[in-house]
Every structure is written in C-alpha cells, then in structure tokens.
Amino acid sequence: NKGMSPLRFCCLCIIAICAVVVARAAEYTNPVIVTNNPDPGVLYYNGVYYATTTSGDDPNRFPIHTSTDLVHWTDRGHVFPDRAPGSPQWAQKDFWAPEIHIVNNRFNVYYVARDRTGMLCVGVAVSTSGSPLGPFKDIGSPLARNASMGYIDPTFHNWDMSGRSSNYLYWKTDGNAIGKPTDILIQELTADGLAFKAGTRPDRLLTNDLRWEGPVIEAPWIVKHNGEYFLFYSGNGCCGPNGPNGSNLYAVGVAVSSSPTGPFTKNPQPILQTDYNNRGAVFTGPGHCSVVPFGDDWYMVYHAWTLYQVAGPYPRHMLTDKITWTSRWPAVGSPTGFPSHTPQQVPK
C-alpha cells in the first residue's frame, strides 16, 4: 500500500503475529501430561482441579497435579511421599487408582494397594490439614477386603435426596485375575466415609456381559446430568498389546439410571476407544476416566498409550477431551468416539 508508512506496516504485522500467538495459546493438543500418569482421579475444589494418579511401586505414592483449565498441570507432590508418617503400614505394593473426594467437609483419598498377604484391597486416608494436597493419614487397615478375590478401583459418590445425605463407595471385583466375571459393586458408607455403614452389604450394579468389554470391566466414575446418573467405566484389558497390530482394546463405556444405586442400563457400545480405521490415529487403549464439569461444559480426563508403544517401558499419558450430550448419552473425543490428537480449544 503506497499510502502506508513503514511504522504503521510494522505495527500491523506485530498485531497479526500477536493474534496468531493468542489463538494458538487458546489451543492444546493431547496428551496434557506426557509422562506416565495412569488412572487419573480428578477433584474440582475452589477453582482448582486436583488430579492424582497410579504410582505402582514407586516409593513416592500417588502423584498429585493441579490445574485451572484441565490442560496445563503443575506437579504438587504426592499423597504419600516416601516414608511419610501417614502412609499405610498394611500395604506393601501395587499402589493404584487413587481418587481424592470431599467427604463430610474433609478430604478423603480412596486407593488400591496389595496387603502383606498379596491380596488387592481398597484403602482410605484422610487429609490432616484441610487441604486436598494433604498430608494424608491412612486409617490403619483396608476399608474393603475380600479373602478370595481382589478389590480395586474405588470411587465415591454422595447422594443428597429429600434432605437425606448418603455416601456410597463403588469398586470393582478383580474376577478377571482368577478366571471369573468382574462386577462393579456399591455399598453405603458412614458419614465420614471411613467405614461401611452397619447392616449394609455390597450390591452388584454391573458385570462384564457385552462383547466389547472382554474379560473385565473396571474404573467406575459416576456423575449426575439432567436428573439422571451416568456410571462411566472401562472395559477390556488395560495393560498390554491385546488388539490389532499391537494396539490396546481398553475403552470407556457408560450406563444410566434414575438413581445412583441403580438399576443401570448400559449403552451397548463404548463411547471412547481406539480409532482403528484412521491411519493418523496417535493413541490407543483410552480409559480409566474422570468426568468433571468446567463451567457449563463437561470434560473427560483419562489415560491412553501411544499407538504401537504399549506396555513395557512405555508411559500411559494423561489426556483431556470435551464431552457433549447428544440426546441422552454422552459423547467424547475428536472425531467423536476417539481420543483427540489434533488441536482442541482450551476449556474456558
């Protein structure tokens, strides 16, 4: 433009560059945490999201990360740092699937560990500081244990109905480890969430009876939406190359009920799985999710492998994708039903 001064031209160029930078800063591409952080349990509290994840046999147990947008995460320590005085003395290895929940105005962390007999059990610890960052003190013995079958993947839900508040624990029987079906169980807890309510027993909500679920369902997570309760869960084997061309068949399913105690009706197909027909797919084996609100929207935080890099030394990354509710059922991913691997809008 002959009428444009060099100074004005430079200013317009700077503005254009800044606009591009801002637009790109408002986008993200999965994974949101590259390092190994499987089984994310996510709590929203006072404008901050707290994610804690499986640590296996690392002496620092259950990493905690925080975020304000479900995309940019900061390492904030561990539920049980190495040799922390509140660590469970009954547990010896396989520290899996932690979740921090608000229970009776305190922060409880529910988790899995193997006791000294080798049995997988559900444990619980309480924050002694009034913060979801802890420190946490274990109650001293497993919350849920079965002498003949492992228990794993606990989650918590509080149901406030007609002025009556009830706490429930959901978890999975480890039947697949001994050649039996796997069930999602529920049982009512005491007001503090540290024991089962007297006179109650576990009830079965779901079992692995759909073809896509294979030998296992696990990792329950429950939310209320439009007056109904949606029980998200994962199916098929999580942790090895059990699919085509070294992929992983793990996937996310969902069931719905008018009550958090069931009965639940399953969506017959998974809502998040590996995109086997897309040569550009990046991730495989998505699952073990948390579903959390962000403003008026909902997001799923979950783990997945990089395609062709399953098990062994390879990490399960942490991913975030938006949920939309089409008709009655939730849909997730981009394209719908698959982990996103292209730029997405940062939640706002």
Side-chain angles (χ1 to χ4, degrees):
N1 189 327
K2 293 181 179 180
M4 183 181 295
S5 69
L7 178 60
R8 185 182 180 193
F9 178 76
C10 289
C11 289
L12 290 175
C13 287
I14 292 171
I15 291 171
I17 292 169
C18 289
V20 171
V21 170
V22 169
R24 289 181 176 174
E27 293 181 336
Y28 76 97
T29 302
N30 276 319
V32 294
I33 298 182
V34 175
T35 55
N36 191 50
N37 276 273
D39 310 331
V42 181
L43 167 73
Y44 178 71
Y45 175 68
N46 279 359
V48 178
Y49 294 90
Y50 296 79
T52 182
T53 56
T54 283
S55 56
D57 294 332
D58 192 300
N60 291 299
R61 296 161 181 168
F62 306 138
I64 301 174
H65 292 82
T66 60
S67 175
T68 56
D69 61 9
L70 296 171
V71 170
H72 303 96
W73 295 89
T74 301
D75 183 353
R76 299 300 302 273
H78 296 80
V79 171
F80 299 124
D82 189 16
R83 296 182 176 86
S87 297
Q89 300 304 304
W90 59 267
Q92 64 171 358
K93 63 178 183 178
D94 292 339
F95 288 81
W96 302 341
E99 293 183 6
I100 301 170
H101 291 274
I102 301 172
V103 185
N104 199 26
N105 297 315
R106 298 193 301 180
F107 296 98
N108 291 359
V109 58
Y110 297 92
Y111 64 93
V112 176
R114 202 177 292 274
D115 71 9
R116 298 184 183 279
T117 73
M119 189 61 66
L120 286 165
C121 308
V122 171
V124 61
V126 184
S127 173
T128 59
S129 70
S131 166
L133 295 176
F136 289 89
K137 183 178 181 181
D138 184 75
I139 63 171
S141 60
L143 169 63
R145 185 184 187 278
N146 185 298
S148 60
M149 184 180 299
Y151 282 165
I152 70 170
D153 292 355
T155 194
F156 171 89
H157 182 72
N158 172 263
W159 186 28
D160 196 341
M161 187 70 172
S162 301
R164 178 179 179 269
S165 181
S166 300
N167 296 327
Y168 291 96
L169 188 77
Y170 302 73
W171 74 98
K172 172 234 174 177
T173 62
D174 204 33
N176 55 294
I178 55 175
K180 293 184 177 182
T182 59
D183 301 323
I184 302 297
L185 303 181
I186 182 175
Q187 189 171 350
E188 189 170 356
L189 293 164
T190 53
D192 62 7
L194 302 181
F196 291 114
K197 188 174 180 180
T200 66
R201 60 179 178 80
D203 290 319
R204 185 176 70 180
L205 294 179
L206 300 177
T207 194
N208 57 314
D209 53 11
L210 297 178
R211 183 176 180 180
W212 74 263
E213 297 166 346
V216 57
I217 58 171
E218 59 187 22
W221 183 276
I222 190 164
V223 301
K224 186 178 183 180
H225 182 262
N226 282 350
E228 294 186 296
Y229 294 86
F230 289 84
L231 181 58
F232 295 82
Y233 66 95
S234 297
N236 225 309
C238 70
C239 304
N242 55 3
N245 301 316
S247 62
N248 180 258
L249 294 174
Y250 208 46
V252 176
V254 68
V256 66
S257 175
S258 61
S259 164
T261 60
F264 282 88
T265 300
K266 290 180 180 178
N267 185 324
Q269 299 298 325
I271 63 169
L272 186 68
Q273 61 184 318
T274 302
D275 191 353
Y276 295 104
N277 296 319
N278 182 356
R279 292 187 177 180
V282 173
F283 302 108
T284 188
H288 203 121
C289 69
S290 296
V291 174
V292 292
F294 191 102
D296 294 331
D297 296 320
W298 290 84
Y299 284 82
M300 180 179 289
V301 182
Y302 60 98
H303 75 237
W305 306 92
T306 295
L307 194 59
Y308 312 122
Q309 296 181 5
V310 177
Y314 299 114
R316 281 177 284 175
H317 317 293
M318 198 167 91
L319 287 72
T320 295
D321 273 311
K322 188 176 182 179
I323 292 177
T324 56
W325 302 83
T326 56
S327 182
R328 187 186 195 187
W329 296 104
V332 63
S334 179
T336 299
F338 310 112
S340 74
H341 62 274
T342 56
Q344 306 293 310
Q345 290 297 308
V346 174
K348 59 182 180 180

Short mmCIF file of all heavy atoms in Angstrom, two decimals, residues 89-122:
data_model
loop_
_atom_site.label_atom_id
_atom_site.label_comp_id
_atom_site.label_asym_id
_atom_site.label_seq_id
_atom_site.Cartn_x
_atom_site.Cartn_y
_atom_site.Cartn_z
N GLN A 89 0.64 -48.76 56.66
CA GLN A 89 1.59 -49.79 57.05
C GLN A 89 1.13 -51.18 56.64
O GLN A 89 1.94 -52.11 56.58
CB GLN A 89 1.81 -49.72 58.56
CG GLN A 89 2.38 -48.39 59.04
CD GLN A 89 3.67 -48.02 58.33
OE1 GLN A 89 4.64 -48.77 58.34
NE2 GLN A 89 3.69 -46.84 57.71
N TRP A 90 -0.15 -51.33 56.37
CA TRP A 90 -0.68 -52.64 55.97
C TRP A 90 -0.39 -52.96 54.51
O TRP A 90 -0.49 -54.11 54.08
CB TRP A 90 -2.20 -52.68 56.19
CG TRP A 90 -2.97 -51.63 55.44
CD1 TRP A 90 -3.34 -50.41 55.89
CD2 TRP A 90 -3.45 -51.73 54.09
NE1 TRP A 90 -4.04 -49.72 54.91
CE2 TRP A 90 -4.12 -50.51 53.79
CE3 TRP A 90 -3.39 -52.71 53.11
CZ2 TRP A 90 -4.72 -50.26 52.55
CZ3 TRP A 90 -3.98 -52.47 51.87
CH2 TRP A 90 -4.64 -51.25 51.61
N ALA A 91 -0.02 -51.95 53.70
CA ALA A 91 0.14 -52.13 52.26
C ALA A 91 1.60 -52.30 51.89
O ALA A 91 2.48 -51.65 52.47
CB ALA A 91 -0.44 -50.92 51.54
N GLN A 92 1.86 -53.16 50.90
CA GLN A 92 3.25 -53.40 50.53
C GLN A 92 3.60 -53.05 49.08
O GLN A 92 4.74 -52.71 48.80
CB GLN A 92 3.64 -54.85 50.81
CG GLN A 92 2.89 -55.88 49.98
CD GLN A 92 3.49 -57.27 50.15
OE1 GLN A 92 4.48 -57.45 50.86
NE2 GLN A 92 2.88 -58.27 49.51
N LYS A 93 2.65 -53.10 48.14
CA LYS A 93 3.00 -52.79 46.74
C LYS A 93 1.72 -52.58 45.92
O LYS A 93 0.62 -52.69 46.43
CB LYS A 93 3.84 -53.90 46.12
CG LYS A 93 3.16 -55.25 46.02
CD LYS A 93 4.09 -56.26 45.35
CE LYS A 93 3.41 -57.61 45.16
NZ LYS A 93 4.29 -58.57 44.46
N ASP A 94 1.92 -52.29 44.64
CA ASP A 94 0.83 -52.09 43.68
C ASP A 94 -0.13 -51.01 44.14
O ASP A 94 -1.32 -51.26 44.39
CB ASP A 94 0.09 -53.41 43.43
CG ASP A 94 0.94 -54.43 42.69
OD1 ASP A 94 1.91 -54.02 42.03
OD2 ASP A 94 0.64 -55.64 42.78
N PHE A 95 0.37 -49.79 44.22
CA PHE A 95 -0.44 -48.65 44.63
C PHE A 95 -1.11 -48.06 43.38
O PHE A 95 -0.47 -47.42 42.56
CB PHE A 95 0.44 -47.62 45.35
CG PHE A 95 0.86 -48.06 46.71
CD1 PHE A 95 1.93 -48.95 46.88
CD2 PHE A 95 0.18 -47.62 47.85
CE1 PHE A 95 2.31 -49.37 48.14
CE2 PHE A 95 0.56 -48.04 49.11
CZ PHE A 95 1.62 -48.93 49.26
N TRP A 96 -2.41 -48.30 43.27
CA TRP A 96 -3.15 -47.99 42.06
C TRP A 96 -4.36 -47.10 42.35
O TRP A 96 -4.91 -47.07 43.44
CB TRP A 96 -3.69 -49.28 41.42
CG TRP A 96 -2.69 -50.31 41.05
CD1 TRP A 96 -1.35 -50.16 40.86
CD2 TRP A 96 -2.97 -51.70 40.78
NE1 TRP A 96 -0.77 -51.35 40.50
CE2 TRP A 96 -1.74 -52.31 40.44
CE3 TRP A 96 -4.12 -52.47 40.78
CZ2 TRP A 96 -1.65 -53.67 40.11
CZ3 TRP A 96 -4.04 -53.82 40.46
CH2 TRP A 96 -2.81 -54.41 40.13
N ALA A 97 -4.80 -46.42 41.28
CA ALA A 97 -6.14 -45.83 41.14
C ALA A 97 -6.59 -44.97 42.32
O ALA A 97 -7.66 -45.20 42.89
CB ALA A 97 -7.15 -46.95 40.89
N PRO A 98 -5.84 -43.94 42.70
CA PRO A 98 -6.28 -43.07 43.80
C PRO A 98 -7.30 -42.04 43.33
O PRO A 98 -7.29 -41.60 42.17
CB PRO A 98 -4.98 -42.39 44.22
CG PRO A 98 -4.22 -42.27 42.92
CD PRO A 98 -4.54 -43.52 42.14
N GLU A 99 -8.16 -41.63 44.24
CA GLU A 99 -9.10 -40.54 43.99
C GLU A 99 -9.29 -39.75 45.28
O GLU A 99 -9.52 -40.34 46.34
CB GLU A 99 -10.46 -41.05 43.54
CG GLU A 99 -10.46 -41.72 42.17
CD GLU A 99 -11.84 -42.16 41.73
OE1 GLU A 99 -12.83 -41.85 42.44
OE2 GLU A 99 -11.93 -42.82 40.69
N ILE A 100 -9.19 -38.43 45.18
CA ILE A 100 -9.45 -37.56 46.33
C ILE A 100 -10.88 -37.04 46.22
O ILE A 100 -11.30 -36.55 45.16
CB ILE A 100 -8.46 -36.38 46.36
CG1 ILE A 100 -7.01 -36.89 46.45
CG2 ILE A 100 -8.77 -35.45 47.54
CD1 ILE A 100 -5.97 -35.80 46.26
N HIS A 101 -11.63 -37.16 47.31
CA HIS A 101 -13.03 -36.71 47.33
C HIS A 101 -13.29 -35.90 48.59
O HIS A 101 -12.65 -36.11 49.63
CB HIS A 101 -13.98 -37.91 47.30
CG HIS A 101 -13.97 -38.65 46.00
ND1 HIS A 101 -14.75 -38.28 44.92
CD2 HIS A 101 -13.26 -39.75 45.59
CE1 HIS A 101 -14.54 -39.10 43.92
NE2 HIS A 101 -13.63 -40.00 44.29
N ILE A 102 -14.25 -34.99 48.49
CA ILE A 102 -14.72 -34.24 49.65
C ILE A 102 -15.79 -35.07 50.34
O ILE A 102 -16.82 -35.40 49.75
CB ILE A 102 -15.29 -32.87 49.25
CG1 ILE A 102 -14.22 -32.05 48.53
CG2 ILE A 102 -15.80 -32.12 50.48
CD1 ILE A 102 -14.74 -30.76 47.94
N VAL A 103 -15.55 -35.41 51.60
CA VAL A 103 -16.49 -36.23 52.37
C VAL A 103 -16.68 -35.57 53.73
O VAL A 103 -15.72 -35.45 54.52
CB VAL A 103 -15.97 -37.67 52.56
CG1 VAL A 103 -17.03 -38.52 53.27
CG2 VAL A 103 -15.60 -38.29 51.22
N ASN A 104 -17.87 -35.11 54.00
CA ASN A 104 -18.19 -34.51 55.30
C ASN A 104 -17.23 -33.36 55.62
O ASN A 104 -16.70 -33.26 56.74
CB ASN A 104 -18.16 -35.58 56.40
CG ASN A 104 -18.89 -35.16 57.65
OD1 ASN A 104 -19.81 -34.34 57.60
ND2 ASN A 104 -18.48 -35.71 58.79
N ASN A 105 -16.98 -32.51 54.60
CA ASN A 105 -16.12 -31.33 54.73
C ASN A 105 -14.65 -31.65 54.99
O ASN A 105 -13.90 -30.79 55.46
CB ASN A 105 -16.64 -30.40 55.84
CG ASN A 105 -18.03 -29.85 55.54
OD1 ASN A 105 -18.28 -29.42 54.42
ND2 ASN A 105 -18.92 -29.91 56.51
N ARG A 106 -14.26 -32.87 54.69
CA ARG A 106 -12.85 -33.24 54.74
C ARG A 106 -12.46 -33.88 53.41
O ARG A 106 -13.31 -34.18 52.59
CB ARG A 106 -12.58 -34.22 55.90
CG ARG A 106 -12.89 -33.64 57.27
CD ARG A 106 -12.31 -34.50 58.38
NE ARG A 106 -12.82 -35.86 58.36
CZ ARG A 106 -12.46 -36.80 59.24
NH1 ARG A 106 -11.58 -36.52 60.19
NH2 ARG A 106 -12.96 -38.01 59.17
N PHE A 107 -11.16 -34.09 53.24
CA PHE A 107 -10.67 -34.70 52.02
C PHE A 107 -10.21 -36.13 52.30
O PHE A 107 -9.27 -36.35 53.08
CB PHE A 107 -9.52 -33.88 51.43
CG PHE A 107 -9.94 -32.50 51.02
CD1 PHE A 107 -9.73 -31.41 51.86
CD2 PHE A 107 -10.58 -32.29 49.81
CE1 PHE A 107 -10.13 -30.15 51.50
CE2 PHE A 107 -10.99 -31.01 49.44
CZ PHE A 107 -10.77 -29.94 50.28
N ASN A 108 -10.90 -37.07 51.70
CA ASN A 108 -10.52 -38.49 51.79
C ASN A 108 -9.89 -38.91 50.47
O ASN A 108 -10.37 -38.51 49.40
CB ASN A 108 -11.73 -39.38 52.05
CG ASN A 108 -12.32 -39.20 53.42
OD1 ASN A 108 -11.83 -38.41 54.23
ND2 ASN A 108 -13.39 -39.92 53.71
N VAL A 109 -8.86 -39.73 50.53
CA VAL A 109 -8.32 -40.34 49.32
C VAL A 109 -8.58 -41.84 49.40
O VAL A 109 -8.22 -42.51 50.38
CB VAL A 109 -6.81 -40.04 49.13
CG1 VAL A 109 -5.96 -40.50 50.31
CG2 VAL A 109 -6.31 -40.65 47.83
N TYR A 110 -9.27 -42.34 48.38
CA TYR A 110 -9.54 -43.78 48.25
C TYR A 110 -8.56 -44.32 47.22
O TYR A 110 -8.29 -43.69 46.19
CB TYR A 110 -10.98 -44.01 47.81
CG TYR A 110 -11.99 -43.51 48.83
CD1 TYR A 110 -12.51 -42.22 48.75
CD2 TYR A 110 -12.41 -44.32 49.87
CE1 TYR A 110 -13.42 -41.75 49.68
CE2 TYR A 110 -13.33 -43.86 50.82
CZ TYR A 110 -13.83 -42.57 50.72
OH TYR A 110 -14.72 -42.10 51.65
N TYR A 111 -8.06 -45.52 47.45
CA TYR A 111 -7.00 -46.04 46.59
C TYR A 111 -6.93 -47.55 46.71
O TYR A 111 -7.66 -48.18 47.50
CB TYR A 111 -5.65 -45.42 46.99
CG TYR A 111 -5.20 -45.79 48.39
CD1 TYR A 111 -4.38 -46.89 48.62
CD2 TYR A 111 -5.62 -45.05 49.50
CE1 TYR A 111 -4.00 -47.25 49.90
CE2 TYR A 111 -5.24 -45.40 50.77
CZ TYR A 111 -4.43 -46.50 50.97
OH TYR A 111 -4.06 -46.85 52.24
N VAL A 112 -6.03 -48.14 45.92
CA VAL A 112 -5.82 -49.60 45.92
C VAL A 112 -4.37 -49.89 46.30
O VAL A 112 -3.46 -49.16 45.91
CB VAL A 112 -6.09 -50.19 44.52
CG1 VAL A 112 -5.77 -51.69 44.49
CG2 VAL A 112 -7.52 -49.93 44.10
N ALA A 113 -4.18 -50.96 47.07
CA ALA A 113 -2.83 -51.48 47.34
C ALA A 113 -2.95 -52.96 47.69
O ALA A 113 -4.02 -53.44 48.06
CB ALA A 113 -2.16 -50.71 48.47
N ARG A 114 -1.84 -53.64 47.55
CA ARG A 114 -1.79 -55.06 47.88
C ARG A 114 -1.27 -55.21 49.30
O ARG A 114 -0.23 -54.67 49.66
CB ARG A 114 -0.88 -55.79 46.90
CG ARG A 114 -1.14 -57.29 46.77
CD ARG A 114 -0.25 -57.92 45.73
NE ARG A 114 -0.54 -57.50 44.38
CZ ARG A 114 -1.45 -58.05 43.57
NH1 ARG A 114 -2.18 -59.07 44.03
NH2 ARG A 114 -1.63 -57.61 42.34
N ASP A 115 -2.02 -55.95 50.13
CA ASP A 115 -1.61 -56.12 51.52
C ASP A 115 -0.51 -57.17 51.64
O ASP A 115 -0.05 -57.73 50.63
CB ASP A 115 -2.81 -56.41 52.43
CG ASP A 115 -3.41 -57.80 52.22
OD1 ASP A 115 -2.82 -58.64 51.50
OD2 ASP A 115 -4.49 -58.06 52.79
N ARG A 116 -0.11 -57.47 52.84
CA ARG A 116 1.04 -58.35 53.05
C ARG A 116 0.74 -59.82 52.77
O ARG A 116 1.64 -60.64 52.73
CB ARG A 116 1.60 -58.15 54.47
CG ARG A 116 2.10 -56.73 54.68
CD ARG A 116 2.75 -56.50 56.02
NE ARG A 116 3.13 -55.10 56.17
CZ ARG A 116 4.24 -54.56 55.64
NH1 ARG A 116 5.08 -55.32 54.97
NH2 ARG A 116 4.50 -53.27 55.83
N THR A 117 -0.53 -60.14 52.55
CA THR A 117 -0.88 -61.50 52.10
C THR A 117 -0.91 -61.59 50.58
O THR A 117 -1.12 -62.66 50.03
CB THR A 117 -2.26 -61.90 52.64
OG1 THR A 117 -3.28 -61.18 51.94
CG2 THR A 117 -2.36 -61.64 54.14
N GLY A 118 -0.74 -60.45 49.90
CA GLY A 118 -0.78 -60.42 48.45
C GLY A 118 -2.15 -60.08 47.88
O GLY A 118 -2.30 -60.05 46.65
N MET A 119 -3.13 -59.79 48.73
CA MET A 119 -4.48 -59.51 48.25
C MET A 119 -4.63 -58.01 47.95
O MET A 119 -4.22 -57.16 48.75
CB MET A 119 -5.51 -59.92 49.30
CG MET A 119 -6.94 -59.85 48.81
SD MET A 119 -7.27 -60.93 47.39
CE MET A 119 -7.07 -62.56 48.14
N LEU A 120 -5.24 -57.70 46.81
CA LEU A 120 -5.54 -56.32 46.46
C LEU A 120 -6.72 -55.83 47.28
O LEU A 120 -7.77 -56.48 47.34
CB LEU A 120 -5.86 -56.20 44.97
CG LEU A 120 -4.66 -56.31 44.02
CD1 LEU A 120 -5.13 -56.54 42.59
CD2 LEU A 120 -3.80 -55.04 44.10
N CYS A 121 -6.57 -54.67 47.91
CA CYS A 121 -7.57 -54.13 48.82
C CYS A 121 -7.82 -52.66 48.51
O CYS A 121 -7.00 -51.98 47.89
CB CYS A 121 -7.09 -54.23 50.28
SG CYS A 121 -6.55 -55.86 50.80
N VAL A 122 -8.96 -52.15 48.98
CA VAL A 122 -9.27 -50.73 48.90
C VAL A 122 -8.90 -50.08 50.23
O VAL A 122 -9.31 -50.55 51.30
CB VAL A 122 -10.76 -50.50 48.61
CG1 VAL A 122 -11.11 -49.02 48.74
CG2 VAL A 122 -11.10 -51.00 47.21
#
